[in-house]
Amino acid sequence: MIDLAKLRVAVQQELDDYPVPPPRHPDLVGSALPAEWFERGLAEMREALVEPYVTEAVWFDSVAQQQVSRPVAVVADDQGAHVIALDIEGDEFELFFRSDDALHSMNVRGDAVGCFLAR
């Protein structure tokens, strides 16, 4: 079972350690986002942090052509349409949108901060 207290500490540490702006990937093209964009996103995430809790989320299984649900641990909720949660089975953070009183995967996975900034 997942330790929600440890998860909360880990997410807070990731948020506190996030570099502003993060290092630019050498293969990226175009203009870099300004540091202010990242600072604003990090401030929004700090406000969106919640005490982690376990709930169900929905994915679309393209092989089976059906929706499947499994448990996730929610760590941030922007009180709008987006939630960041740890996919407990996949052991990776993911961006979800709230619709019809359910959480649906947006297939954006990675670190908690990166998923939040991808909203």
Tab-separated table of all heavy atoms in Angstrom, residues 34-79:
chain	number	residue	atom	x	y	z
A	34	PRO	N	9.574	32.251	-20.378
A	34	PRO	CA	10.272	33.092	-19.394
A	34	PRO	C	10.192	32.485	-17.989
A	34	PRO	O	9.271	31.729	-17.673
A	34	PRO	CB	9.524	34.423	-19.464
A	34	PRO	CG	8.174	34.077	-19.978
A	34	PRO	CD	8.360	32.892	-20.880
A	35	ALA	N	11.132	32.866	-17.154
A	35	ALA	CA	11.157	32.387	-15.773
A	35	ALA	C	9.853	32.710	-15.059
A	35	ALA	O	9.388	31.915	-14.227
A	35	ALA	CB	12.344	32.994	-15.024
A	36	GLU	N	9.241	33.844	-15.388
A	36	GLU	CA	7.984	34.235	-14.743
A	36	GLU	C	6.877	33.214	-14.982
A	36	GLU	O	6.028	32.998	-14.128
A	36	GLU	CB	7.522	35.619	-15.238
A	36	GLU	CG	8.449	36.753	-14.873
A	36	GLU	CD	9.680	36.848	-15.791
A	36	GLU	OE1	9.673	36.326	-16.938
A	36	GLU	OE2	10.674	37.449	-15.338
A	37	TRP	N	6.872	32.596	-16.156
A	37	TRP	CA	5.867	31.577	-16.459
A	37	TRP	C	6.003	30.405	-15.494
A	37	TRP	O	5.014	29.905	-14.958
A	37	TRP	CB	6.014	31.109	-17.911
A	37	TRP	CG	4.946	30.140	-18.340
A	37	TRP	CD1	3.748	30.446	-18.896
A	37	TRP	CD2	4.995	28.716	-18.228
A	37	TRP	NE1	3.037	29.294	-19.144
A	37	TRP	CE2	3.779	28.223	-18.744
A	37	TRP	CE3	5.929	27.812	-17.741
A	37	TRP	CZ2	3.493	26.855	-18.801
A	37	TRP	CZ3	5.641	26.461	-17.786
A	37	TRP	CH2	4.426	25.992	-18.316
A	38	PHE	N	7.239	29.972	-15.267
A	38	PHE	CA	7.486	28.863	-14.348
A	38	PHE	C	7.168	29.270	-12.910
A	38	PHE	O	6.565	28.493	-12.161
A	38	PHE	CB	8.937	28.371	-14.466
A	38	PHE	CG	9.209	27.683	-15.764
A	38	PHE	CD1	9.780	28.372	-16.827
A	38	PHE	CD2	8.872	26.358	-15.952
A	38	PHE	CE1	10.012	27.751	-18.038
A	38	PHE	CE2	9.102	25.719	-17.163
A	38	PHE	CZ	9.670	26.421	-18.209
A	39	GLU	N	7.565	30.465	-12.525
A	39	GLU	CA	7.285	30.941	-11.162
A	39	GLU	C	5.787	30.980	-10.894
A	39	GLU	O	5.330	30.559	-9.832
A	39	GLU	CB	7.916	32.315	-10.945
A	39	GLU	CG	9.427	32.271	-10.898
A	39	GLU	CD	10.093	33.628	-11.034
A	39	GLU	OE1	9.382	34.639	-11.291
A	39	GLU	OE2	11.320	33.675	-10.907
A	40	ARG	N	5.024	31.442	-11.867
A	40	ARG	CA	3.566	31.501	-11.714
A	40	ARG	C	2.992	30.078	-11.607
A	40	ARG	O	2.142	29.797	-10.763
A	40	ARG	CB	2.931	32.251	-12.885
A	40	ARG	CG	1.441	32.450	-12.767
A	40	ARG	CD	0.853	33.334	-13.862
A	40	ARG	NE	1.167	32.863	-15.225
A	40	ARG	CZ	2.031	33.433	-16.051
A	40	ARG	NH1	2.692	34.512	-15.698
A	40	ARG	NH2	2.252	32.944	-17.254
A	41	GLY	N	3.465	29.176	-12.443
A	41	GLY	CA	2.994	27.788	-12.407
A	41	GLY	C	3.323	27.097	-11.094
A	41	GLY	O	2.498	26.363	-10.545
A	42	LEU	N	4.511	27.350	-10.563
A	42	LEU	CA	4.894	26.751	-9.282
A	42	LEU	C	4.045	27.312	-8.144
A	42	LEU	O	3.632	26.576	-7.244
A	42	LEU	CB	6.384	26.974	-9.009
A	42	LEU	CG	7.347	26.289	-9.988
A	42	LEU	CD1	8.784	26.669	-9.668
A	42	LEU	CD2	7.164	24.784	-9.989
A	43	ALA	N	3.756	28.614	-8.197
A	43	ALA	CA	2.890	29.212	-7.175
A	43	ALA	C	1.489	28.611	-7.249
A	43	ALA	O	0.871	28.308	-6.212
A	43	ALA	CB	2.832	30.732	-7.346
A	44	GLU	N	0.980	28.416	-8.461
A	44	GLU	CA	-0.337	27.800	-8.629
A	44	GLU	C	-0.337	26.367	-8.099
A	44	GLU	O	-1.310	25.924	-7.492
A	44	GLU	CB	-0.750	27.825	-10.096
A	44	GLU	CG	-1.066	29.209	-10.603
A	44	GLU	CD	-1.254	29.263	-12.108
A	44	GLU	OE1	-1.114	28.220	-12.804
A	44	GLU	OE2	-1.546	30.368	-12.614
A	45	MET	N	0.759	25.634	-8.325
A	45	MET	CA	0.816	24.262	-7.826
A	45	MET	C	0.846	24.245	-6.303
A	45	MET	O	0.200	23.406	-5.684
A	45	MET	CB	2.016	23.511	-8.387
A	45	MET	CG	2.027	22.051	-7.952
A	45	MET	SD	3.282	21.084	-8.784
A	45	MET	CE	2.994	19.490	-8.000
A	46	ARG	N	1.599	25.163	-5.704
A	46	ARG	CA	1.631	25.220	-4.236
A	46	ARG	C	0.216	25.403	-3.677
A	46	ARG	O	-0.154	24.789	-2.686
A	46	ARG	CB	2.545	26.333	-3.766
A	46	ARG	CG	4.005	26.001	-3.884
A	46	ARG	CD	4.918	27.069	-3.274
A	46	ARG	NE	6.297	26.673	-3.444
A	46	ARG	CZ	7.045	26.934	-4.519
A	46	ARG	NH1	6.542	27.633	-5.523
A	46	ARG	NH2	8.290	26.531	-4.590
A	47	GLU	N	-0.574	26.245	-4.327
A	47	GLU	CA	-1.947	26.471	-3.882
A	47	GLU	C	-2.842	25.268	-4.162
A	47	GLU	O	-3.848	25.075	-3.476
A	47	GLU	CB	-2.525	27.712	-4.558
A	47	GLU	CG	-1.896	28.992	-4.048
A	47	GLU	CD	-2.569	30.230	-4.605
A	47	GLU	OE1	-3.745	30.144	-5.013
A	47	GLU	OE2	-1.904	31.276	-4.627
A	48	ALA	N	-2.488	24.472	-5.154
A	48	ALA	CA	-3.313	23.325	-5.545
A	48	ALA	C	-2.999	22.051	-4.763
A	48	ALA	O	-3.747	21.076	-4.855
A	48	ALA	CB	-3.145	23.061	-7.040
A	49	LEU	N	-1.896	22.037	-4.001
A	49	LEU	CA	-1.557	20.829	-3.243
A	49	LEU	C	-2.676	20.466	-2.281
A	49	LEU	O	-3.291	21.334	-1.662
A	49	LEU	CB	-0.255	21.024	-2.464
A	49	LEU	CG	1.023	21.113	-3.287
A	49	LEU	CD1	2.217	21.362	-2.374
A	49	LEU	CD2	1.234	19.865	-4.133
A	50	VAL	N	-2.943	19.169	-2.180
A	50	VAL	CA	-3.947	18.651	-1.258
A	50	VAL	C	-3.314	17.546	-0.430
A	50	VAL	O	-2.266	17.007	-0.798
A	50	VAL	CB	-5.181	18.096	-2.015
A	50	VAL	CG1	-5.880	19.184	-2.801
A	50	VAL	CG2	-4.799	16.934	-2.918
A	51	GLU	N	-3.941	17.237	0.690
A	51	GLU	CA	-3.500	16.045	1.417
A	51	GLU	C	-3.779	14.862	0.500
A	51	GLU	O	-4.920	14.688	0.042
A	51	GLU	CB	-4.257	15.893	2.737
A	51	GLU	CG	-3.761	16.786	3.834
A	51	GLU	CD	-2.274	16.588	4.144
A	51	GLU	OE1	-1.798	15.436	4.184
A	51	GLU	OE2	-1.585	17.603	4.327
A	52	PRO	N	-2.764	14.084	0.174
A	52	PRO	CA	-2.976	12.978	-0.767
A	52	PRO	C	-4.083	12.029	-0.295
A	52	PRO	O	-4.230	11.760	0.892
A	52	PRO	CB	-1.625	12.265	-0.787
A	52	PRO	CG	-0.643	13.336	-0.430
A	52	PRO	CD	-1.359	14.185	0.580
A	53	TYR	N	-4.860	11.580	-1.268
A	53	TYR	CA	-5.915	10.606	-0.996
A	53	TYR	C	-6.032	9.680	-2.201
A	53	TYR	O	-5.666	10.032	-3.319
A	53	TYR	CB	-7.254	11.294	-0.703
A	53	TYR	CG	-7.811	12.111	-1.833
A	53	TYR	CD1	-8.699	11.552	-2.757
A	53	TYR	CD2	-7.455	13.443	-2.010
A	53	TYR	CE1	-9.217	12.297	-3.810
A	53	TYR	CE2	-7.974	14.198	-3.048
A	53	TYR	CZ	-8.853	13.619	-3.942
A	53	TYR	OH	-9.346	14.369	-4.985
A	54	VAL	N	-6.540	8.498	-1.959
A	54	VAL	CA	-6.677	7.493	-3.011
A	54	VAL	C	-8.107	7.517	-3.546
A	54	VAL	O	-9.068	7.585	-2.779
A	54	VAL	CB	-6.310	6.093	-2.481
A	54	VAL	CG1	-6.565	5.024	-3.548
A	54	VAL	CG2	-4.857	6.059	-2.028
A	55	THR	N	-8.208	7.476	-4.870
A	55	THR	CA	-9.504	7.406	-5.546
A	55	THR	C	-9.309	6.614	-6.834
A	55	THR	O	-8.201	6.157	-7.129
A	55	THR	CB	-10.060	8.825	-5.824
A	55	THR	OG1	-11.412	8.724	-6.264
A	55	THR	CG2	-9.219	9.580	-6.823
A	56	GLU	N	-10.360	6.472	-7.607
A	56	GLU	CA	-10.285	5.758	-8.886
A	56	GLU	C	-10.180	6.756	-10.031
A	56	GLU	O	-10.757	7.841	-9.978
A	56	GLU	CB	-11.527	4.892	-9.098
A	56	GLU	CG	-11.639	3.724	-8.139
A	56	GLU	CD	-10.647	2.618	-8.430
A	56	GLU	OE1	-10.509	2.223	-9.613
A	56	GLU	OE2	-10.003	2.152	-7.471
A	57	ALA	N	-9.462	6.379	-11.075
A	57	ALA	CA	-9.359	7.180	-12.293
A	57	ALA	C	-9.632	6.280	-13.487
A	57	ALA	O	-9.539	5.051	-13.381
A	57	ALA	CB	-7.980	7.824	-12.398
A	58	VAL	N	-9.942	6.909	-14.609
A	58	VAL	CA	-10.359	6.174	-15.806
A	58	VAL	C	-9.339	6.377	-16.927
A	58	VAL	O	-8.888	7.496	-17.171
A	58	VAL	CB	-11.746	6.662	-16.265
A	58	VAL	CG1	-12.183	5.952	-17.531
A	58	VAL	CG2	-12.771	6.476	-15.152
A	59	TRP	N	-9.004	5.290	-17.595
A	59	TRP	CA	-8.169	5.297	-18.794
A	59	TRP	C	-8.947	4.621	-19.902
A	59	TRP	O	-9.818	3.785	-19.630
A	59	TRP	CB	-6.882	4.493	-18.587
A	59	TRP	CG	-5.833	5.134	-17.792
A	59	TRP	CD1	-4.730	5.783	-18.262
A	59	TRP	CD2	-5.733	5.189	-16.365
A	59	TRP	NE1	-3.971	6.242	-17.224
A	59	TRP	CE2	-4.559	5.887	-16.037
A	59	TRP	CE3	-6.519	4.724	-15.323
A	59	TRP	CZ2	-4.153	6.126	-14.744
A	59	TRP	CZ3	-6.118	4.963	-14.029
A	59	TRP	CH2	-4.950	5.653	-13.759
A	60	PHE	N	-8.621	4.942	-21.133
A	60	PHE	CA	-9.207	4.208	-22.250
A	60	PHE	C	-8.194	3.185	-22.713
A	60	PHE	O	-7.066	3.530	-23.075
A	60	PHE	CB	-9.587	5.134	-23.410
A	60	PHE	CG	-10.285	4.401	-24.509
A	60	PHE	CD1	-11.611	4.025	-24.361
A	60	PHE	CD2	-9.616	4.061	-25.668
A	60	PHE	CE1	-12.257	3.315	-25.359
A	60	PHE	CE2	-10.250	3.357	-26.672
A	60	PHE	CZ	-11.575	2.984	-26.520
A	61	ASP	N	-8.565	1.922	-22.660
A	61	ASP	CA	-7.710	0.821	-23.103
A	61	ASP	C	-7.966	0.625	-24.590
A	61	ASP	O	-9.017	0.106	-24.986
A	61	ASP	CB	-8.042	-0.441	-22.313
A	61	ASP	CG	-7.141	-1.608	-22.661
A	61	ASP	OD1	-6.626	-1.660	-23.802
A	61	ASP	OD2	-6.955	-2.480	-21.793
A	62	SER	N	-7.016	1.061	-25.427
A	62	SER	CA	-7.221	1.013	-26.875
A	62	SER	C	-7.191	-0.421	-27.412
A	62	SER	O	-7.780	-0.701	-28.448
A	62	SER	CB	-6.194	1.879	-27.599
A	62	SER	OG	-4.898	1.447	-27.305
A	63	VAL	N	-6.520	-1.316	-26.717
A	63	VAL	CA	-6.484	-2.712	-27.163
A	63	VAL	C	-7.845	-3.364	-26.921
A	63	VAL	O	-8.422	-3.987	-27.806
A	63	VAL	CB	-5.356	-3.491	-26.447
A	63	VAL	CG1	-5.415	-4.965	-26.798
A	63	VAL	CG2	-4.005	-2.899	-26.801
A	64	ALA	N	-8.365	-3.202	-25.712
A	64	ALA	CA	-9.658	-3.793	-25.369
A	64	ALA	C	-10.835	-2.942	-25.843
A	64	ALA	O	-11.982	-3.381	-25.780
A	64	ALA	CB	-9.750	-4.000	-23.862
A	65	GLN	N	-10.545	-1.703	-26.290
A	65	GLN	CA	-11.579	-0.775	-26.741
A	65	GLN	C	-12.639	-0.534	-25.662
A	65	GLN	O	-13.842	-0.578	-25.932
A	65	GLN	CB	-12.225	-1.271	-28.041
A	65	GLN	CG	-11.309	-1.211	-29.237
A	65	GLN	CD	-10.950	0.219	-29.616
A	65	GLN	OE1	-11.821	1.035	-29.842
A	65	GLN	NE2	-9.667	0.527	-29.662
A	66	GLN	N	-12.144	-0.287	-24.446
A	66	GLN	CA	-13.062	-0.004	-23.341
A	66	GLN	C	-12.359	0.829	-22.283
A	66	GLN	O	-11.137	0.894	-22.238
A	66	GLN	CB	-13.593	-1.283	-22.721
A	66	GLN	CG	-12.520	-2.118	-22.039
A	66	GLN	CD	-13.065	-3.424	-21.483
A	66	GLN	OE1	-14.209	-3.772	-21.716
A	66	GLN	NE2	-12.243	-4.138	-20.761
A	67	GLN	N	-13.154	1.445	-21.434
A	67	GLN	CA	-12.599	2.192	-20.316
A	67	GLN	C	-12.244	1.233	-19.191
A	67	GLN	O	-12.963	0.255	-18.967
A	67	GLN	CB	-13.586	3.229	-19.804
A	67	GLN	CG	-13.783	4.385	-20.731
A	67	GLN	CD	-14.648	5.466	-20.115
A	67	GLN	OE1	-15.420	5.240	-19.209
A	67	GLN	NE2	-14.500	6.680	-20.640
A	68	VAL	N	-11.134	1.536	-18.530
A	68	VAL	CA	-10.727	0.766	-17.356
A	68	VAL	C	-10.455	1.756	-16.236
A	68	VAL	O	-10.109	2.916	-16.483
A	68	VAL	CB	-9.471	-0.091	-17.630
A	68	VAL	CG1	-9.750	-1.154	-18.676
A	68	VAL	CG2	-8.297	0.767	-18.063
A	69	SER	N	-10.637	1.320	-15.017
A	69	SER	CA	-10.322	2.198	-13.892
A	69	SER	C	-9.355	1.489	-12.971
A	69	SER	O	-9.302	0.256	-12.919
A	69	SER	CB	-11.591	2.611	-13.141
A	69	SER	OG	-12.192	1.489	-12.550
A	70	ARG	N	-8.577	2.313	-12.282
A	70	ARG	CA	-7.635	1.781	-11.299
A	70	ARG	C	-7.337	2.886	-10.292
A	70	ARG	O	-7.622	4.055	-10.546
A	70	ARG	CB	-6.386	1.218	-11.953
A	70	ARG	CG	-5.583	2.136	-12.795
A	70	ARG	CD	-4.414	1.345	-13.433
A	70	ARG	NE	-3.488	2.198	-14.085
A	70	ARG	CZ	-3.298	2.237	-15.397
A	70	ARG	NH1	-3.975	1.462	-16.189
A	70	ARG	NH2	-2.407	3.055	-15.914
A	71	PRO	N	-6.743	2.530	-9.170
A	71	PRO	CA	-6.523	3.519	-8.112
A	71	PRO	C	-5.377	4.470	-8.425
A	71	PRO	O	-4.379	4.099	-9.038
A	71	PRO	CB	-6.207	2.658	-6.885
A	71	PRO	CG	-5.667	1.381	-7.438
A	71	PRO	CD	-6.350	1.176	-8.756
A	72	VAL	N	-5.564	5.713	-7.992
A	72	VAL	CA	-4.542	6.744	-8.067
A	72	VAL	C	-4.510	7.483	-6.737
A	72	VAL	O	-5.491	7.467	-5.986
A	72	VAL	CB	-4.807	7.752	-9.209
A	72	VAL	CG1	-4.764	7.071	-10.566
A	72	VAL	CG2	-6.114	8.488	-9.017
A	73	ALA	N	-3.394	8.146	-6.463
A	73	ALA	CA	-3.260	8.975	-5.263
A	73	ALA	C	-3.181	10.427	-5.704
A	73	ALA	O	-2.177	10.859	-6.287
A	73	ALA	CB	-2.021	8.591	-4.469
A	74	VAL	N	-4.234	11.177	-5.466
A	74	VAL	CA	-4.301	12.584	-5.861
A	74	VAL	C	-3.402	13.411	-4.955
A	74	VAL	O	-3.437	13.266	-3.734
A	74	VAL	CB	-5.756	13.094	-5.789
A	74	VAL	CG1	-5.817	14.601	-6.032
A	74	VAL	CG2	-6.637	12.350	-6.773
A	75	VAL	N	-2.579	14.288	-5.562
A	75	VAL	CA	-1.669	15.149	-4.793
A	75	VAL	C	-1.912	16.635	-5.033
A	75	VAL	O	-1.515	17.465	-4.221
A	75	VAL	CB	-0.182	14.816	-5.083
A	75	VAL	CG1	0.149	13.391	-4.650
A	75	VAL	CG2	0.168	15.033	-6.545
A	76	ALA	N	-2.554	16.987	-6.161
A	76	ALA	CA	-2.836	18.393	-6.464
A	76	ALA	C	-4.149	18.483	-7.228
A	76	ALA	O	-4.437	17.647	-8.087
A	76	ALA	CB	-1.708	19.016	-7.280
A	77	ASP	N	-4.917	19.524	-6.906
A	77	ASP	CA	-6.207	19.750	-7.538
A	77	ASP	C	-6.347	21.248	-7.737
A	77	ASP	O	-6.364	22.007	-6.769
A	77	ASP	CB	-7.315	19.222	-6.625
A	77	ASP	CG	-8.705	19.324	-7.223
A	77	ASP	OD1	-8.902	20.102	-8.183
A	77	ASP	OD2	-9.599	18.630	-6.717
A	78	ASP	N	-6.420	21.688	-8.996
A	78	ASP	CA	-6.476	23.137	-9.256
A	78	ASP	C	-7.882	23.718	-9.077
A	78	ASP	O	-8.115	24.882	-9.376
A	78	ASP	CB	-5.896	23.479	-10.631
A	78	ASP	CG	-6.740	23.013	-11.799
A	78	ASP	OD1	-7.858	22.486	-11.594
A	78	ASP	OD2	-6.291	23.182	-12.946
A	79	GLN	N	-8.798	22.914	-8.577
A	79	GLN	CA	-10.188	23.312	-8.330
A	79	GLN	C	-10.879	23.743	-9.611
A	79	GLN	O	-11.908	24.392	-9.583
A	79	GLN	CB	-10.278	24.417	-7.255
A	79	GLN	CG	-9.726	24.001	-5.912
A	79	GLN	CD	-10.418	22.778	-5.343
A	79	GLN	OE1	-11.620	22.701	-5.316
A	79	GLN	NE2	-9.639	21.815	-4.896
